[in-house]
Amino acid sequence: MKRFLTVDDIGDLKAALAEAQQVKKTPFAWQELGRNKTIIIIFFNSSLRTRLSTQKAALNMGMNPIVLNINGDSWKLETEMGVVMDGDKTEHLREAIPVIGSYCDIIGVRSFAKFEDRKSEYEESIINQFIQYSGRPVISLESATRHPCQAFADLITIDEYKGSIKRPKVVLTWAPHPRALPQAVPNSFAEWMRAAEKQGMVDFVLTCPEGYDLAPEFMKGVKLERDQKKAFDGADFIYAKNWSSYEQYGQILSKDMSWTVDAEHMSWTNNAKFMHCLPVRRNMIVTDEVIDSPNSIVIPEAANRVFSAQVVIKRMLESL
Ligand code: AN0
Ligand code: CP
């Protein structure tokens, strides 16, 4: 595996799920594979789970992880080509990337959408520079349009908690938030759930207010139900997330608290499990009552981030 950005990069989903369970059962079984290998994980943005789970996955594999916080610890990096660098940016990505590549075997990058230029962000111009210029396998740790390590962990979690339900109904619902958030998490979740749906593994429905449809490539084949109550009807998993508008790029069009997932919302479901990628704002996205209920699986969902990352790192090491 040379890159991990889209669902296609993981290949067969059932094989990936089986591998995740194998890694979860015997996390230290591949330490020889990672011995004397280094992963550098680079953060242009804040993180708790991704920062820790990716390092833990690398340590499980016997690797040496190095973390770099751009803007905090390193020089500020220019990301646009062809600009006169007379501002606050000291170094260009074009040099920084191959230099980072020369110090490691695998690179992970977190670089959120900035809501400045939709076209360039949806072309994934930053992570693609890492893929092109580093000479190393590259993992998206949430790039402009996708968060594949999260979506893979979410699929592992759904697979673990579906019980005897063969084809669980999984609902992705928009919920209100005070700040503009990227579309990366819902994009990847929709992409992975559509792929799982094609394999007969889930029944996937998206619900969001007008103006919050995802980019056309992520809406393809997705069942959209504008009425949140109808969408929740009979759901086995509720996946809540806020995102800003794609259409009016990066804008907040609604803070409608009637979309907040509360106990009444959950009563419309088939005793659904509650999921969220975290970090979550309580009583904005979800009420205390729901996130603290036994149906909330946000903690085991976060715990699975180690194993989604470890499968990806393992496959990358195997193909070095
Ligand atoms: C980020 C987002 O919505 O993309 C990261 C989520 C994993 N969330 C925040 O910035 C609060
Ligand atoms: N879910 C997730 O990626 O969390 P962090 O932003 O804390 O890494």
Coordinates of all heavy atoms in Angstrom, one line a residue, residues 54-140:
T54 N -2.2 6.9 16.2 CA -1.3 6.6 15.2 C 0.1 6.2 15.8 O 0.7 5.3 15.3 CB -1.1 7.8 14.2 OG1 -2.5 8.2 13.8 CG2 -0.4 7.4 12.9
Q55 N 0.5 6.9 16.8 CA 1.7 6.6 17.5 C 1.6 5.2 18.1 O 2.6 4.4 18.1 CB 2.1 7.6 18.5 CG 2.5 9.0 18.0 CD 2.9 9.9 19.1 OE1 4.0 9.8 19.6 NE2 2.0 10.9 19.4
K56 N 0.5 5.0 18.8 CA 0.3 3.7 19.4 C 0.3 2.5 18.4 O 1.0 1.5 18.6 CB -1.0 3.7 20.2 CG -1.4 2.3 20.8 CD -0.5 2.0 22.0 CE -1.0 0.7 22.8 NZ 0.0 -0.3 22.8
A57 N -0.3 2.7 17.3 CA -0.3 1.7 16.2 C 1.1 1.5 15.7 O 1.5 0.3 15.5 CB -1.2 2.2 15.0
A58 N 1.9 2.5 15.6 CA 3.3 2.4 15.1 C 4.1 1.7 16.2 O 5.0 0.8 15.8 CB 3.9 3.8 14.8
L59 N 3.9 2.0 17.4 CA 4.6 1.3 18.5 C 4.3 -0.2 18.6 O 5.1 -1.0 18.8 CB 4.3 2.0 19.9 CG 5.0 3.4 20.0 CD1 4.3 4.1 21.2 CD2 6.5 3.3 20.2
N60 N 3.0 -0.5 18.4 CA 2.6 -1.9 18.3 C 3.3 -2.6 17.2 O 3.6 -3.8 17.4 CB 1.1 -2.0 18.0 CG 0.2 -1.6 19.2 OD1 0.7 -1.4 20.3 ND2 -1.1 -1.6 19.0
M61 N 3.6 -1.9 16.1 CA 4.3 -2.5 15.0 C 5.8 -2.5 15.2 O 6.6 -2.9 14.3 CB 4.0 -1.8 13.7 CG 2.6 -1.9 13.2 SD 2.1 -3.6 12.9 CE 3.1 -4.1 11.5
G62 N 6.3 -2.1 16.4 CA 7.7 -2.1 16.6 C 8.5 -0.9 16.0 O 9.7 -0.9 15.9
M63 N 7.7 0.1 15.5 CA 8.3 1.2 14.8 C 8.7 2.4 15.7 O 8.2 2.4 16.9 CB 7.3 1.8 13.8 CG 6.9 0.9 12.6 SD 5.8 1.8 11.5 CE 7.0 2.8 10.5
N64 N 9.4 3.3 15.2 CA 9.8 4.5 15.9 C 8.9 5.7 15.4 O 9.1 6.0 14.2 CB 11.2 4.9 15.8 CG 12.1 3.8 16.2 OD1 12.0 3.3 17.3 ND2 13.0 3.3 15.3
P65 N 8.0 6.2 16.2 CA 7.2 7.3 15.7 C 7.8 8.7 16.0 O 8.4 8.8 17.1 CB 5.9 7.2 16.4 CG 6.1 6.3 17.5 CD 7.4 5.7 17.4
I66 N 7.8 9.6 15.1 CA 8.2 11.0 15.4 C 7.0 11.9 15.0 O 6.4 11.7 13.9 CB 9.4 11.4 14.5 CG1 10.6 10.5 14.8 CG2 9.8 12.9 14.7 CD1 11.9 10.8 13.9
V67 N 6.7 12.9 15.9 CA 5.6 13.8 15.7 C 6.1 15.2 15.4 O 7.0 15.6 16.1 CB 4.7 13.8 16.9 CG1 3.5 14.7 16.6 CG2 4.2 12.4 17.2
L68 N 5.6 15.8 14.3 CA 6.0 17.2 14.0 C 4.8 18.1 14.0 O 3.8 17.7 13.2 CB 6.7 17.2 12.7 CG 7.1 18.6 12.2 CD1 8.1 19.3 13.1 CD2 7.6 18.6 10.7
N69 N 4.8 19.1 14.8 CA 3.6 20.1 14.7 C 4.1 21.3 13.9 O 4.9 22.1 14.4 CB 3.3 20.5 16.2 CG 2.9 19.3 17.0 OD1 2.1 18.5 16.6 ND2 3.5 19.3 18.2
I70 N 3.5 21.4 12.8 CA 3.8 22.5 11.9 C 3.2 23.8 12.6 O 2.1 23.7 13.2 CB 3.2 22.4 10.5 CG1 3.7 21.0 9.9 CG2 3.5 23.6 9.6 CD1 5.1 21.0 9.4
N71 N 3.8 24.9 12.4 CA 3.3 26.2 12.9 C 3.7 26.3 14.4 O 3.9 27.4 14.9 CB 1.8 26.4 12.8 CG 1.5 26.4 11.3 OD1 2.3 26.7 10.4 ND2 0.2 26.0 11.0
G72 N 3.8 25.2 15.2 CA 4.2 25.3 16.5 C 5.7 25.1 16.6 O 6.5 26.0 17.0
D73 N 6.2 23.9 16.2 CA 7.6 23.5 16.4 C 8.5 23.8 15.2 O 9.7 23.9 15.4 CB 7.7 22.0 16.7 CG 6.9 21.6 17.9 OD1 6.5 22.4 18.7 OD2 6.6 20.4 18.1
S74 N 7.9 23.8 14.0 CA 8.7 23.9 12.8 C 8.6 25.3 12.2 O 7.8 26.2 12.7 CB 8.3 22.9 11.8 OG 7.2 23.3 11.1
W75 N 9.3 25.5 11.1 CA 9.1 26.8 10.3 C 7.7 26.8 9.8 O 7.1 25.7 9.5 CB 10.1 26.8 9.2 CG 11.5 26.8 9.6 CD1 12.4 25.8 9.4 CD2 12.2 27.8 10.3 NE1 13.6 26.1 9.9 CE2 13.5 27.3 10.5 CE3 11.9 29.0 10.9 CZ2 14.5 28.1 11.2 CZ3 12.8 29.8 11.5 CH2 14.1 29.3 11.7
K76 N 7.1 27.9 9.6 CA 5.8 28.0 8.9 C 6.0 27.7 7.5 O 7.0 28.2 6.8 CB 5.2 29.4 9.1 CG 4.6 29.7 10.4 CD 3.7 30.9 10.4 CE 2.9 31.0 11.7 NZ 2.4 32.3 12.0
L77 N 5.1 26.8 6.9 CA 5.4 26.3 5.6 C 4.4 27.0 4.5 O 3.2 27.1 4.8 CB 5.2 24.8 5.5 CG 6.1 24.0 6.4 CD1 5.8 22.5 6.2 CD2 7.6 24.3 6.0
E78 N 5.0 27.4 3.4 CA 4.2 27.9 2.3 C 3.7 26.6 1.5 O 4.5 25.7 1.3 CB 5.1 28.7 1.4 CG 4.4 29.2 0.1 CD 3.1 30.1 0.5 OE1 3.2 31.1 1.1 OE2 2.0 29.6 0.1
T79 N 2.4 26.6 1.2 CA 1.9 25.5 0.5 C 1.5 25.7 -1.0 O 1.3 24.8 -1.7 CB 0.6 25.0 1.2 OG1 -0.4 26.0 1.3 CG2 0.9 24.5 2.6
E80 N 1.4 27.0 -1.4 CA 1.1 27.4 -2.7 C 2.4 27.4 -3.6 O 3.4 27.9 -3.1 CB 0.4 28.7 -2.8 CG -0.9 28.8 -2.0 CD -1.9 27.8 -2.5 OE1 -2.1 27.7 -3.7 OE2 -2.5 27.1 -1.6
M81 N 2.3 27.0 -4.9 CA 3.4 27.1 -5.8 C 3.4 28.5 -6.4 O 2.3 29.1 -6.6 CB 3.3 26.0 -6.9 CG 3.5 24.6 -6.4 SD 5.0 24.3 -5.4 CE 6.3 24.3 -6.7
G82 N 4.6 29.0 -6.8 CA 4.7 30.2 -7.6 C 4.5 31.5 -6.8 O 4.3 32.5 -7.5
V83 N 4.5 31.5 -5.5 CA 4.3 32.7 -4.8 C 5.6 33.3 -4.4 O 6.6 32.6 -4.2 CB 3.4 32.6 -3.5 CG1 2.0 32.1 -3.9 CG2 4.0 31.6 -2.6
V84 N 5.6 34.7 -4.3 CA 6.8 35.4 -3.7 C 6.7 35.2 -2.2 O 5.8 35.7 -1.6 CB 6.8 36.9 -4.2 CG1 8.0 37.6 -3.5 CG2 6.8 37.0 -5.7
M85 N 7.7 34.6 -1.6 CA 7.6 34.3 -0.2 C 8.1 35.4 0.7 O 9.1 35.3 1.4 CB 8.3 33.0 0.1 CG 7.6 31.8 -0.5 SD 8.5 30.2 -0.3 CE 8.8 30.1 1.5
D86 N 7.4 36.6 0.6 CA 7.8 37.7 1.4 C 6.9 37.9 2.6 O 6.9 39.0 3.2 CB 7.7 39.0 0.5 CG 6.3 39.3 -0.1 OD1 5.4 38.4 0.1 OD2 6.1 40.3 -0.7
G87 N 6.1 36.9 3.0 CA 5.2 37.0 4.2 C 5.8 36.3 5.4 O 7.1 36.3 5.6
D88 N 5.0 35.6 6.1 CA 5.5 35.0 7.4 C 5.9 33.5 7.2 O 6.4 32.9 8.1 CB 4.4 35.0 8.4 CG 3.1 34.2 8.1 OD1 2.9 34.0 6.8 OD2 2.4 33.9 9.0
K89 N 5.9 33.0 6.0 CA 6.2 31.6 5.7 C 7.7 31.5 5.4 O 8.2 32.2 4.4 CB 5.4 31.0 4.6 CG 3.9 31.2 4.7 CD 3.3 30.2 5.6 CE 1.8 30.5 5.9 NZ 1.0 30.6 4.7
T90 N 8.5 30.7 6.1 CA 9.9 30.7 6.0 C 10.4 29.6 5.0 O 11.5 29.8 4.4 CB 10.5 30.3 7.4 OG1 9.9 31.1 8.4 CG2 12.0 30.6 7.5
E91 N 9.6 28.6 4.9 CA 10.0 27.4 4.0 C 8.9 27.0 3.2 O 7.7 27.1 3.6 CB 10.5 26.3 5.0 CG 11.0 25.1 4.3 CD 11.8 24.2 5.1 OE1 11.8 24.3 6.4 OE2 12.6 23.3 4.6
H92 N 9.2 26.4 2.0 CA 8.1 25.9 1.1 C 8.0 24.4 1.3 O 9.0 23.7 1.6 CB 8.5 26.2 -0.4 CG 7.3 26.1 -1.2 ND1 6.7 25.0 -1.6 CD2 6.6 27.1 -1.8 CE1 5.6 25.3 -2.4 NE2 5.5 26.6 -2.5
L93 N 6.8 23.9 1.2 CA 6.5 22.4 1.2 C 7.4 21.7 0.3 O 7.7 20.5 0.5 CB 5.0 22.2 0.8 CG 3.9 22.0 1.9 CD1 2.7 21.5 1.2 CD2 4.4 21.1 3.0
R94 N 7.7 22.3 -0.9 CA 8.4 21.6 -2.0 C 9.8 21.1 -1.5 O 10.3 20.1 -2.0 CB 8.6 22.6 -3.2 CG 9.1 22.0 -4.4 CD 8.2 20.9 -5.0 NE 8.9 20.2 -6.0 CZ 9.7 19.2 -5.9 NH1 10.0 18.8 -4.6 NH2 10.3 18.6 -6.9
E95 N 10.4 21.8 -0.5 CA 11.7 21.4 0.1 C 11.4 20.5 1.3 O 12.0 19.5 1.6 CB 12.6 22.5 0.5 CG 13.3 23.2 -0.7 CD 12.4 24.1 -1.4 OE1 11.8 25.0 -0.8 OE2 12.4 23.9 -2.7
A96 N 10.4 21.0 2.1 CA 10.2 20.4 3.4 C 9.8 18.9 3.2 O 10.2 18.0 4.0 CB 9.1 21.1 4.2
I97 N 8.9 18.6 2.2 CA 8.4 17.3 2.0 C 9.6 16.3 1.7 O 9.7 15.2 2.4 CB 7.3 17.2 0.9 CG1 6.1 17.9 1.4 CG2 7.0 15.8 0.6 CD1 5.0 18.1 0.4
P98 N 10.4 16.5 0.7 CA 11.5 15.5 0.5 C 12.5 15.4 1.7 O 13.0 14.3 1.9 CB 12.2 16.0 -0.8 CG 11.6 17.3 -1.1 CD 10.3 17.5 -0.4
V99 N 12.6 16.5 2.4 CA 13.5 16.5 3.6 C 12.9 15.5 4.6 O 13.6 14.6 5.1 CB 13.8 17.9 4.2 CG1 14.4 17.8 5.5 CG2 14.6 18.7 3.2
I100 N 11.6 15.7 4.9 CA 10.9 14.8 5.9 C 11.0 13.4 5.4 O 11.3 12.5 6.1 CB 9.4 15.3 6.0 CG1 9.4 16.6 6.7 CG2 8.6 14.2 6.8 CD1 8.0 17.3 6.6
G101 N 10.8 13.2 4.1 CA 10.8 11.8 3.5 C 12.2 11.2 3.7 O 12.2 9.9 3.9
S102 N 13.2 12.0 3.7 CA 14.6 11.4 3.8 C 14.9 10.9 5.2 O 15.8 10.2 5.5 CB 15.6 12.4 3.4 OG 15.8 13.4 4.4
Y103 N 14.0 11.3 6.2 CA 14.2 10.9 7.6 C 13.3 9.7 8.0 O 13.3 9.4 9.2 CB 13.9 12.1 8.5 CG 14.7 13.3 8.3 CD1 14.2 14.6 8.6 CD2 16.0 13.3 7.9 CE1 14.9 15.7 8.4 CE2 16.8 14.4 7.7 CZ 16.2 15.6 7.9 OH 16.9 16.8 7.8
C104 N 12.5 9.2 7.1 CA 11.5 8.2 7.6 C 11.1 7.2 6.5 O 11.6 7.3 5.3 CB 10.3 8.9 8.1 SG 9.3 9.7 6.8
D105 N 10.3 6.2 6.9 CA 9.8 5.2 5.9 C 8.4 5.4 5.6 O 7.9 4.9 4.5 CB 10.0 3.8 6.6 CG 11.5 3.6 7.0 OD1 12.3 3.3 6.1 OD2 11.8 3.8 8.2
I106 N 7.6 6.0 6.4 CA 6.2 6.2 6.2 C 5.9 7.7 6.7 O 6.4 8.1 7.7 CB 5.3 5.2 6.9 CG1 5.5 3.8 6.4 CG2 3.8 5.6 6.8 CD1 4.7 2.7 7.2
I107 N 4.9 8.4 6.0 CA 4.5 9.7 6.5 C 3.0 9.7 6.7 O 2.3 9.2 5.9 CB 4.9 10.8 5.4 CG1 6.4 10.8 5.2 CG2 4.3 12.1 5.8 CD1 6.9 11.8 4.2
G108 N 2.6 10.3 7.8 CA 1.2 10.6 8.0 C 1.0 12.1 8.1 O 1.8 12.8 8.7
V109 N -0.1 12.6 7.5 CA -0.3 14.1 7.5 C -1.7 14.5 7.8 O -2.7 13.9 7.3 CB -0.1 14.7 6.0 CG1 -0.1 16.2 6.1 CG2 1.1 14.1 5.3
R110 N -1.8 15.4 8.8 CA -3.1 16.0 9.0 C -3.1 17.5 8.5 O -2.3 18.3 8.9 CB -3.5 16.0 10.5 CG -4.6 17.0 10.8 CD -5.3 16.8 12.1 NE -6.1 15.6 12.1 CZ -7.0 15.3 13.0 NH1 -7.3 16.1 14.0 NH2 -7.7 14.2 12.8
S111 N -4.0 17.8 7.6 CA -4.0 19.1 7.0 C -5.5 19.4 6.6 O -5.9 19.0 5.6 CB -3.1 19.2 5.8 OG -3.3 20.4 5.1
F112 N -6.2 20.1 7.5 CA -7.7 20.4 7.2 C -7.9 21.3 6.1 O -7.0 22.1 5.7 CB -8.3 21.1 8.5 CG -8.4 20.3 9.7 CD1 -8.9 20.8 10.8 CD2 -8.2 18.9 9.7 CE1 -9.1 20.1 12.0 CE2 -8.3 18.2 10.9 CZ -8.8 18.8 12.0
A113 N -9.1 21.3 5.6 CA -9.5 22.3 4.6 C -9.5 23.7 5.4 O -9.8 23.8 6.6 CB -11.0 22.0 4.2
K114 N -9.1 24.7 4.6 CA -9.1 26.1 5.2 C -10.3 26.9 4.7 O -10.4 28.1 5.1 CB -7.8 26.8 4.8 CG -6.5 26.1 5.3 CD -5.3 27.0 5.1 CE -4.0 26.3 5.2 NZ -3.4 26.2 3.8
F115 N -11.1 26.3 3.8 CA -12.2 27.0 3.2 C -11.8 28.3 2.5 O -12.6 29.2 2.4 CB -13.3 27.4 4.3 CG -13.7 26.2 5.1 CD1 -13.7 26.2 6.5 CD2 -14.1 25.0 4.5 CE1 -14.1 25.1 7.3 CE2 -14.5 23.9 5.2 CZ -14.5 24.0 6.6
E116 N -10.6 28.2 1.8 CA -10.2 29.3 1.1 C -10.5 29.1 -0.4 O -11.1 30.0 -1.1 CB -8.7 29.6 1.2 CG -8.4 30.3 2.6 CD -6.9 30.2 3.0 OE1 -6.1 29.7 2.2 OE2 -6.6 30.6 4.1
D117 N -10.2 27.9 -0.9 CA -10.3 27.7 -2.4 C -10.8 26.3 -2.5 O -10.1 25.3 -2.4 CB -8.9 27.8 -3.0 CG -8.8 27.5 -4.5 OD1 -9.9 27.1 -5.0 OD2 -7.8 27.7 -5.1
R118 N -12.1 26.1 -2.8 CA -12.8 24.8 -2.8 C -12.1 23.9 -3.9 O -11.9 22.7 -3.6 CB -14.3 25.0 -3.1 CG -15.0 23.7 -3.0 CD -16.5 23.9 -3.1 NE -16.9 24.0 -4.5 CZ -18.2 24.1 -4.9 NH1 -19.2 24.1 -4.0 NH2 -18.5 24.1 -6.2
K119 N -11.8 24.5 -5.0 CA -11.3 23.6 -6.1 C -10.0 23.0 -5.7 O -9.8 21.8 -5.8 CB -11.1 24.5 -7.4 CG -10.7 23.7 -8.6 CD -10.8 24.6 -9.9 CE -10.3 23.8 -11.1 NZ -8.9 23.5 -11.1
S120 N -9.1 23.8 -5.2 CA -7.8 23.3 -4.8 C -7.9 22.4 -3.7 O -7.2 21.3 -3.6 CB -6.9 24.5 -4.5 OG -5.9 24.2 -3.5
E121 N -8.8 22.7 -2.7 CA -9.0 21.8 -1.6 C -9.6 20.4 -2.0 O -9.1 19.4 -1.6 CB -9.8 22.4 -0.5 CG -9.0 23.6 0.1 CD -9.5 24.3 1.3 OE1 -10.8 24.2 1.5 OE2 -8.7 25.0 2.0
Y122 N -10.6 20.5 -2.9 CA -11.2 19.2 -3.4 C -10.2 18.4 -4.3 O -10.5 17.3 -4.6 CB -12.6 19.4 -3.9 CG -13.6 19.2 -2.8 CD1 -13.7 20.2 -1.7 CD2 -14.3 18.1 -2.6 CE1 -14.5 20.0 -0.6 CE2 -15.1 17.8 -1.5 CZ -15.2 18.8 -0.5 OH -16.0 18.6 0.6
E123 N -9.2 19.1 -4.8 CA -8.2 18.4 -5.6 C -7.1 17.8 -4.6 O -6.1 17.2 -5.1 CB -7.5 19.3 -6.6 CG -8.4 19.5 -7.8 CD -7.9 20.7 -8.7 OE1 -6.9 21.3 -8.4 OE2 -8.6 20.9 -9.8
E124 N -7.3 18.1 -3.3 CA -6.3 17.6 -2.3 C -4.9 18.0 -2.6 O -4.0 17.2 -2.6 CB -6.4 16.0 -2.2 CG -7.7 15.5 -1.5 CD -7.7 15.7 0.0 OE1 -6.8 16.4 0.5 OE2 -8.6 15.2 0.6
S125 N -4.7 19.3 -2.9 CA -3.4 19.8 -3.4 C -2.3 19.5 -2.3 O -1.2 19.3 -2.7 CB -3.5 21.2 -3.8 OG -3.9 22.0 -2.7
I126 N -2.6 19.6 -1.0 CA -1.5 19.5 -0.1 C -1.1 18.0 0.1 O 0.1 17.7 -0.1 CB -1.9 20.1 1.3 CG1 -2.0 21.6 1.0 CG2 -0.9 19.7 2.4 CD1 -2.2 22.5 2.3
I127 N -2.0 17.1 0.4 CA -1.6 15.7 0.6 C -1.0 15.1 -0.7 O -0.1 14.3 -0.7 CB -2.7 14.8 1.2 CG1 -2.1 13.5 1.7 CG2 -3.8 14.5 0.2 CD1 -2.9 12.8 2.7
N128 N -1.5 15.6 -1.9 CA -1.0 15.1 -3.1 C 0.5 15.6 -3.3 O 1.2 14.8 -4.0 CB -1.9 15.5 -4.3 CG -3.1 14.6 -4.5 OD1 -3.0 13.4 -4.1 ND2 -4.2 15.1 -5.0
Q129 N 0.8 16.7 -2.8 CA 2.2 17.1 -2.8 C 3.1 16.2 -2.0 O 4.2 15.8 -2.4 CB 2.4 18.6 -2.3 CG 1.9 19.6 -3.3 CD 2.3 21.0 -2.8 OE1 3.5 21.3 -2.7 NE2 1.3 21.9 -2.6
F130 N 2.6 15.7 -0.9 CA 3.3 14.8 0.0 C 3.4 13.4 -0.8 O 4.5 12.8 -0.8 CB 2.5 14.5 1.3 CG 2.9 15.5 2.3 CD1 2.1 16.7 2.5 CD2 3.9 15.4 3.2 CE1 2.4 17.7 3.4 CE2 4.3 16.3 4.2 CZ 3.5 17.5 4.3
I131 N 2.4 13.0 -1.5 CA 2.4 11.8 -2.2 C 3.5 11.9 -3.4 O 4.3 11.0 -3.6 CB 1.0 11.4 -2.8 CG1 0.1 11.0 -1.6 CG2 1.1 10.3 -3.8 CD1 -1.4 10.9 -1.9
Q132 N 3.5 13.0 -4.0 CA 4.3 13.2 -5.2 C 5.8 13.4 -4.8 O 6.7 12.9 -5.5 CB 3.8 14.5 -6.0 CG 4.4 14.6 -7.4 CD 3.7 15.8 -8.1 OE1 2.7 16.3 -7.6 NE2 4.3 16.1 -9.2
Y133 N 6.1 14.2 -3.8 CA 7.4 14.6 -3.5 C 8.2 13.9 -2.4 O 9.3 14.2 -2.2 CB 7.5 16.1 -3.3 CG 6.9 16.9 -4.4 CD1 5.9 17.9 -4.3 CD2 7.5 16.8 -5.7 CE1 5.4 18.6 -5.3 CE2 7.0 17.5 -6.8 CZ 6.0 18.4 -6.6 OH 5.5 19.2 -7.6
S134 N 7.5 13.1 -1.6 CA 8.1 12.5 -0.4 C 8.9 11.2 -0.7 O 9.8 10.9 0.0 CB 7.1 12.2 0.7 OG 6.3 11.2 0.3
G135 N 8.5 10.5 -1.8 CA 9.1 9.2 -2.1 C 8.7 8.2 -1.0 O 9.4 7.1 -0.9
R136 N 7.7 8.4 -0.2 CA 7.3 7.5 0.9 C 5.8 7.2 0.8 O 5.1 8.1 0.3 CB 7.6 8.1 2.2 CG 9.1 8.4 2.5 CD 9.9 7.2 2.7 NE 11.3 7.5 2.9 CZ 12.3 7.1 2.0 NH1 12.0 6.4 0.9 NH2 13.5 7.5 2.2
P137 N 5.4 6.1 1.4 CA 3.9 5.9 1.5 C 3.3 7.0 2.4 O 4.0 7.4 3.4 CB 3.8 4.5 2.2 CG 5.1 3.9 2.1 CD 6.1 5.0 1.9
V138 N 2.1 7.5 2.1 CA 1.5 8.6 2.8 C 0.1 8.2 3.3 O -0.7 7.7 2.5 CB 1.4 9.8 1.9 CG1 0.7 11.0 2.5 CG2 2.8 10.3 1.4
I139 N -0.1 8.5 4.6 CA -1.4 8.3 5.2 C -2.1 9.6 5.4 O -1.5 10.5 6.0 CB -1.3 7.5 6.6 CG1 -0.4 6.3 6.4 CG2 -2.6 7.2 7.2 CD1 -0.1 5.6 7.8
S140 N -3.4 9.7 5.0 CA -4.2 10.9 5.4 C -4.6 10.7 6.8 O -5.3 9.8 7.2 CB -5.4 11.1 4.5 OG -6.3 12.0 5.0

